[in-house]
């Protein structure tokens, strides 16, 4: 036992998420450093085990500075040091506040593939640049755009379209124009509630039309907006318009669809869409103002 080290209770390991092999090959007699993602291992098996040293023993995710170590030299990532209550999960000694500067320095010399290599990103990055790239990699999975619940499903566009249709029963339409009617028996009871999502297949791409009710400050409003199922750079190639009205009056909106990389709530809270105050919506609905009947028309076009 290291001097002064207290003994702690056993700590469970967490599920493993990712692993990389760092191997050395030769070309014309010269060593070359390469990195292979665990999803598709090629070349020689790892001979140095550096990747294993860089895996946190608790979460098994690759570690980034500050990398901590116990008095016996066992390492741990900065996120897990709180989980284990400052107790080494390997030898049960108290961790203290020791940095493993040598391992941090070794990591600087490594290059690894993007974790989304299997999805199409074949770039190689210095160890400390990889994480930042992965946060913005265009090949990273998309979150489910359905706003009616906190759905945790992620995937590419094709799989999400199937998921929306099969699991959320979302209506699918072909075409770049639409004419939707929204009806609610008691609109005064609907606040902060998502109502409907419709997916349009237009120009061979998919667009999500949202319509919902929520409180904007103290005022109840209805809002409709469009999101593009793809990257923001592609979304900017399109425009759309929305219109609602009756009795010789109308409200129109023209804008650029937001990428589904922007969460539904982020788009809604930015008010980037057609906003209709409830009193005006009830005026458009006619009758005794006890039932909401709104017809929203629109179109999508390519710039």
């Amino acid at each position: 036992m290291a001097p002064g080290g207290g003994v702690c209770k056993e700590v469970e390991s967490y599920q493993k998420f990712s692993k990389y092999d760092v191997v050395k090959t030769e070309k014309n007699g010269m060593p070359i450093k390469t990195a292979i993602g665990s999803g598709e291992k090629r070349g020689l098996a790892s001979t140095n085990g550096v990747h294993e040293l860089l895996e946190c023993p608790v979460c098994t995710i690759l570690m980034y500075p500050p990398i901590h170590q116990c008095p016996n030299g066992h390492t741990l990532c900065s996120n897990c040091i709180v989980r284990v209550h400052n107790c080494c999960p390997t030898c049960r000694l108290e961790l203290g506040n020791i940095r493993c500067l040598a391992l941090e320095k070794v990591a600087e010399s490594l290059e690894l593939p993007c974790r989304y290599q299997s999805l199409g990103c074949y770039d190689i990055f210095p160890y400390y640049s990889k994480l930042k790239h992965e946060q913005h990699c265009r090949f990273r999975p998309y979150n489910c755009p359905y706003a009616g619940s906190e759905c945790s499903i992620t995937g590419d566009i094709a799989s999400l379209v199937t998921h929306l249709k099969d699991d959320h029963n979302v209506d699918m339409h072909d075409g770049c124009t639409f004419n939707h009617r929204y009806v609610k028996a008691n609109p005064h009871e609907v606040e902060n509630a998502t109502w409907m999502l419709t997916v349009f297949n237009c120009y061979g791409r998919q667009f999500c039309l949202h319509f919902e009710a929520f409180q904007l400050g103290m005022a109840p409003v209805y809002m409709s907006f469009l999101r593009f199922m793809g990257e923001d750079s592609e979304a900017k190639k399109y425009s759309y318009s929305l219109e609602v009205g009756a009795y010789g009056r109308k409200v129109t909106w023209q804008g650029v669809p937001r990428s589904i990389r922007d969460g539904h709530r982020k788009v809604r809270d930015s008010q980037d869409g057609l906003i209709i105050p409830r009193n005006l919506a009830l005026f458009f609905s006619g009758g005794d103002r006890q039932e909401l009947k709104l017809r929203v028309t629109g179109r999508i076009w390519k710039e």
Side-chain angles (χ1 to χ4, degrees):
M1 181 183 298
V7 178
C8 305
K9 64 180 180 180
E10 185 175 354
V11 178
E12 281 188 12
S13 293
Y14 286 70
Q15 179 184 0
K16 192 166 189 174
F17 291 97
S18 61
K19 183 175 181 179
Y20 296 91
D21 289 333
V22 181
V23 304
K24 289 185 178 180
T25 59
E26 290 189 359
K27 182 176 181 181
N28 299 328
M30 299 296 291
I32 299 175
K33 179 174 57 182
T34 61
I36 308 298
S38 61
E40 185 180 353
K41 294 186 178 181
R42 294 170 291 189
L44 303 176
S46 174
T47 58
N48 54 22
V50 175
H51 65 288
E52 294 179 359
L53 294 176
L54 286 165
E55 285 182 355
C56 173
V58 177
C59 65
T60 68
I61 296 176
L62 294 175
M63 296 184 289
Y64 293 87
I67 298 175
H68 299 273
Q69 69 175 25
C70 77
N72 282 335
H74 302 123
T75 55
L76 191 72
C77 77
S78 57
N79 290 329
C80 288
I81 196 170
V82 178
R83 293 177 179 177
V84 300
H85 306 291
N86 200 39
C87 179
C88 176
T90 303
C91 67
R92 315 294 183 254
L93 291 182
E94 293 181 4
L95 287 166
N97 189 27
I98 309 172
R99 285 272 295 270
C100 188
L101 300 177
L103 189 56
E104 292 179 9
K105 192 68 176 179
V106 168
E108 289 181 2
S109 66
L110 300 180
E111 292 183 342
L112 296 173
C114 174
R115 67 182 295 184
Y116 304 119
Q117 184 183 57
S118 62
L119 299 179
C121 183
Y122 300 108
D123 293 332
I124 304 296
F125 299 92
Y127 187 83
Y128 290 139
S129 300
K130 189 176 82 76
L131 190 62
K132 183 177 181 181
H133 159 78
E134 290 171 350
Q135 292 172 346
H136 303 283
C137 178
R138 66 188 184 93
F139 291 99
R140 71 192 190 279
Y142 295 91
N143 294 323
C144 173
Y146 189 75
S149 62
E150 296 297 328
C151 182
S152 61
I153 295 296
T154 64
D156 59 18
I157 299 302
S159 64
L160 286 182
V161 169
T162 301
H163 164 68
L164 288 171
K165 180 180 179 181
D166 295 344
D167 299 329
H168 294 299
N169 298 315
V170 170
D171 290 333
M172 303 283 172
H173 296 276
D174 292 326
C176 299
T177 60
F178 45 88
N179 186 339
H180 278 278
R181 191 174 185 221
Y182 300 98
V183 178
K184 189 67 180 177
N186 190 349
H188 296 280
E189 294 181 354
V190 182
E191 295 176 355
N192 295 311
T194 297
W195 282 15
M196 185 174 291
L197 171 64
T198 307
V199 173
F200 293 91
N201 182 31
C202 174
Y203 298 106
R205 305 305 298 267
Q206 288 71 40
F207 299 81
C208 298
L209 177 65
H210 296 266
F211 184 84
E212 60 186 74
F214 66 102
Q215 289 283 136
L216 184 58
M218 297 298 294
V221 299
Y222 303 102
M223 182 176 179
S224 185
F225 56 90
L226 201 70
R227 287 200 293 166
F228 174 74
M229 296 188 72
E231 295 298 306
D232 183 64
S233 58
E234 298 176 280
K236 292 177 180 177
K237 300 176 182 177
Y238 301 90
S239 295
Y240 75 102
S241 63
L242 298 172
E243 180 178 306
V244 62
Y247 306 108
R249 285 90 167 173
K250 66 180 180 181
V251 177
T252 61
W253 164 266
Q254 180 173 320
V256 176
R258 299 278 286 271
S259 166
I260 59 171
R261 293 288 189 201
D262 288 337
H264 157 268
R265 186 174 295 275
K266 178 179 179 180
V267 179
R268 191 195 75 177
D269 292 347
S270 68
Q271 303 175 39
D272 191 2
L274 175 66
I275 297 178
I276 314 156
R278 184 161 66 186
N279 284 338
L280 181 59
L282 292 176
F283 171 78
F284 288 153
S285 300
D288 57 5
R289 300 170 63 89
Q290 296 303 309
E291 185 177 39
L292 182 74
K293 296 179 181 178
L294 283 182
R295 186 177 298 278
V296 178
T297 61
R299 69 184 183 97
I300 305 167
W301 66 94
K302 196 170 184 177
E303 295 292 350

